[in-house]
Amino acid sequence: MSFRKDFAWGVATASYQIEGATYEDGKGLSVWDEFTHINGKILDNSTGDVACDHYHRYKEDVKLMAELGIKAYRFSICWPRIIPDGIGEVNQKGLDFYNSLIDELLKYGIEPYVTLYHWDLPYELHKKGGWLNSESVDWFEYYTSVFAKHFGDRVKNFITFNEPQVFINHGYSIGVHAPGYKVGNKELLQMCHNVLLAHGKAVRVLRNAIEGVNIGFVAASSPGIPVSDDDIEAAREKYFDCGKNHFIFADSFWFDPVVFGKYPEKVLKENADIFPEIADGDMEIISTPIDFIGLNIYSGHLVEKGENGGYRVVHPPVGNARTAVYWYVTPDALYWGSKFHNERYNLPVYITENGMSAHDVVSLDGKVHDPNRIDYLNRYLLGLKKAADEGVDVRGYFQWSLMDNFEWAQGYDERFGAVYVDFATQERIIKDSGYWYKEIIESNGEKL
């Protein structure tokens, strides 16, 4: 068997990680533009000022996608590139760039999947309090309306937010991402509620403006993986558990409000003294129907049932494979992640990110040989195929990433791409794994 005939085989990127052109053509600054210029914040002291220079090389990059047989491209919009101050005046040159990119994709038959927010909060809005300011809901609604007005005739697939767990936790709790703050749970919960409201408002804008629109919400997800068949319920419990000190990375904290219109009871009870006020109508806005769930899955947690019920997280065996960024290789993660989510929420699932950081080099023959990445992708995709074969409604898979890029706090030390980038010359080289992925796409997964 194979995946559904209309399966979206794709690759993914994010604006700050690839575009560059930070100070060109009327673009405003984002929190990442400021954060990366603070000494010591990025591992290799680099910035995304140039990154992959995609702003100037997008035609070359789209042509590479076409060469790889890519069917769908998930990319994000730089909010301050099209609205420099976050609200107010629109930057025509920013609109022109995305207009040209979308047209180029469609010329090659590549379906655009647009992520509205992949972390580049306009710096001018950050100065007004960012996501802690309740007005952020209206800011995002306006931004969404601008994009829908100009591109809704050609873009039908949208993701409102990418990994709110990460940009809130890493940016405002542990401070390793922009803007580098460390605040308490009361402020974090308020930001989470504002982001969910902004999501709901954006869904309504898109639904009203674009006929046949397909809208999703994306989480950074680490599935519970049962050690044995006896541990399936324990793994499910671990996956969706949500309490006082582990709410941000709990999938149920985000998807229960979006799908069911309510926060998990446990998190409400355990945070009753600091939970933000939920106004009349808030949950109705947040739960405006979406069309799919997007999961960014790289690794999962091995789980056993506890001696007295509940669950217990088990450390992987000594010597368990890891990627170059030291994430555990757990090939069953896509199977259990898509299965558990489809069962709980009864919505189609896209794997919106999955991939491997490896120590890639250009070999003496001028090629980039990455057999470890091929093995990783093959194992994970076999798990996803198993889920699809069992009836899980899986609609697409987006490999992270199209090309090596600026990997946030890690700078350029980590390489995830199907395409190798020499950051000194901007030369692109398709890796062996890129050609392997092309064969998988051509066979619709039958060659796995």
Side-chain angles (χ1 to χ4, degrees), residues 106 186 206 220 243 298 324 343 351 364 425:
L106 294 175
K186 183 175 182 178
L206 295 170
Y298 295 88
E343 289 173 351
I351 301 302
L364 289 172
T425 66

Side-chain angles (χ1 to χ4, degrees), residues 8-12 58-75 101-113 154-157 398 402:
W9 290 101
V11 289
Y58 70 92
K59 289 187 176 182
E60 174 187 354
D61 294 335
V62 173
K63 189 174 181 180
L64 280 171
M65 280 187 259
E67 185 177 343
L68 291 171
I70 300 302
K71 305 297 184 186
Y73 177 43
R74 179 189 167 214
F75 62 100
L101 172 60
I102 290 165
D103 283 349
E104 195 73 11
L105 290 167
L106 294 175
K107 183 176 82 173
Y108 285 97
I110 300 170
E111 186 75 13
Y113 280 71
R154 286 157 294 157
V155 179
K156 305 299 180 183
N157 304 288
F398 292 82
L402 165 63

Side-chain angles (χ1 to χ4, degrees), residues 420-432:
Y420 181 92
V421 177
D422 182 326
F423 295 108
T425 66
Q426 293 297 338
E427 179 186 9
R428 274 86 157 130
I429 302 172
I430 296 175
K431 302 174 187 178
D432 287 355

